[in-house]
Amino acid sequence: MSANEDQEMELEALRSIYEGDESFRELSPVSFQYRIGENGDPKAFLIEISWTETYPQTPPIISMNAFFNNTIVFLVRCRSSAVKQSILAKLQEAVEIHLGTAMTYTLFEYAKDNKEQFMENHHPINSTIPISSIISVETPNTAPSSKKKDKKEQLSKAQKRKLADKTDHKGQLPRGWNWVDVVKLSKTGSKDDE
């Protein structure tokens, strides 16, 4: 089989296996992402696998540079690259073992099965601490928006008079104030027909 035939068969298999799986995402017919771990799990990470033109005879490109993985960098600054490099090294070992065969599914499952081992050196900060308290952001001295009162629209005297002329003594608009003058409309419509 040629590389393209192998890729087509694997693509079809991946689509059928991961149909409905929220963790799996097909970025293109040759690039896939899989989230290892549940949403909200501080030890969750995302693996992206891209096939080269000669895949599976050559290794795929494995990346952990997705924005989702910035939590690893953010929460553990000094060890983050070590954690990522460790995961990538272990995945590369699995690639070498399976070189020449369809391995995307195998790599995703390998990562799922070994998630705890991969993330053993990742010690996230207690998730109950809000991120805003970790980041120091300079903000200008402004009053909090919750204390501001909503300003009512101010009308000029002329606008108030015009509004009062349109309404009755109760402040209600008279019946039919927005109706279209049928006679005027029919006259303009007949000119268009001629």
Side-chain angles (χ1 to χ4, degrees):
M1 280 187 162
S2 71
N4 283 341
E5 291 172 344
D6 287 343
Q7 288 180 10
E8 287 176 19
M9 288 179 57
E10 185 172 3
L11 177 62
E12 189 177 315
L14 287 171
R15 285 177 177 163
S16 66
I17 291 169
Y18 290 118
E19 184 179 349
D21 189 343
E22 293 178 8
S23 298
F24 178 76
R25 185 168 168 210
E26 180 180 336
L27 303 176
S28 74
V30 295
S31 185
F32 311 93
Q33 285 183 341
Y34 197 87
R35 183 185 68 242
I36 309 299
E38 297 298 319
N39 271 339
D41 182 0
K43 291 189 175 191
F45 58 93
L46 194 103
I47 297 174
E48 184 174 325
I49 297 179
S50 300
W51 298 342
T52 58
E53 287 189 24
T54 55
Y55 169 85
Q57 282 69 36
T58 58
I61 300 166
I62 302 173
S63 171
M64 290 187 67
N65 294 332
F67 181 77
F68 185 86
N69 292 333
N70 285 348
T71 57
I72 297 172
V73 173
F74 180 72
L75 296 175
V76 186
R77 293 179 201 276
C78 59
R79 296 187 202 148
S80 64
S81 61
V83 170
K84 284 184 180 181
Q85 292 305 320
S86 171
I87 293 171
L88 290 173
K90 290 174 183 172
L91 288 172
Q92 287 299 336
E93 289 174 13
V95 166
E96 291 172 17
I97 294 169
H98 298 287
L99 197 59
T101 63
M103 67 181 91
T104 304
Y105 171 78
T106 307
L107 294 174
F108 288 151
E109 292 302 309
Y110 175 73
K112 283 183 359 185
D113 294 343
N114 294 295
K115 175 189 167 225
E116 293 303 319
Q117 179 187 357
F118 288 169
M119 299 301 281
E120 67 187 358
N121 293 327
H122 175 66
H123 304 290
I125 297 172
N126 186 351
S127 60
T128 59
I129 300 172
I131 292 177
S132 60
S133 67
I134 298 169
I135 302 174
S136 61
V137 178
E138 296 291 326
T139 55
N141 290 336
T142 57
S145 60
S146 62
K147 292 184 180 180
K148 287 186 178 179
K149 294 181 182 177
D150 292 332
K151 288 188 175 182
K152 292 184 180 179
E153 184 179 337
Q154 297 293 324
L155 299 176
S156 67
K157 283 186 180 181
Q159 289 172 323
K160 289 178 184 176
R161 275 191 214 110
K162 192 173 182 181
L163 187 60
D165 289 342
K166 288 183 181 178
T167 60
D168 60 6
H169 70 292
K170 294 180 183 176
Q172 300 289 323
L173 293 170
R175 183 171 181 261
W177 68 273
N178 61 349
W179 292 357
V180 178
D181 190 352
V182 177
V183 176
K184 287 182 184 176
L185 186 61
S186 65
K187 286 182 183 178
T188 59
S190 62
K191 289 180 184 176
D192 293 337
D193 293 338
E194 293 175 3

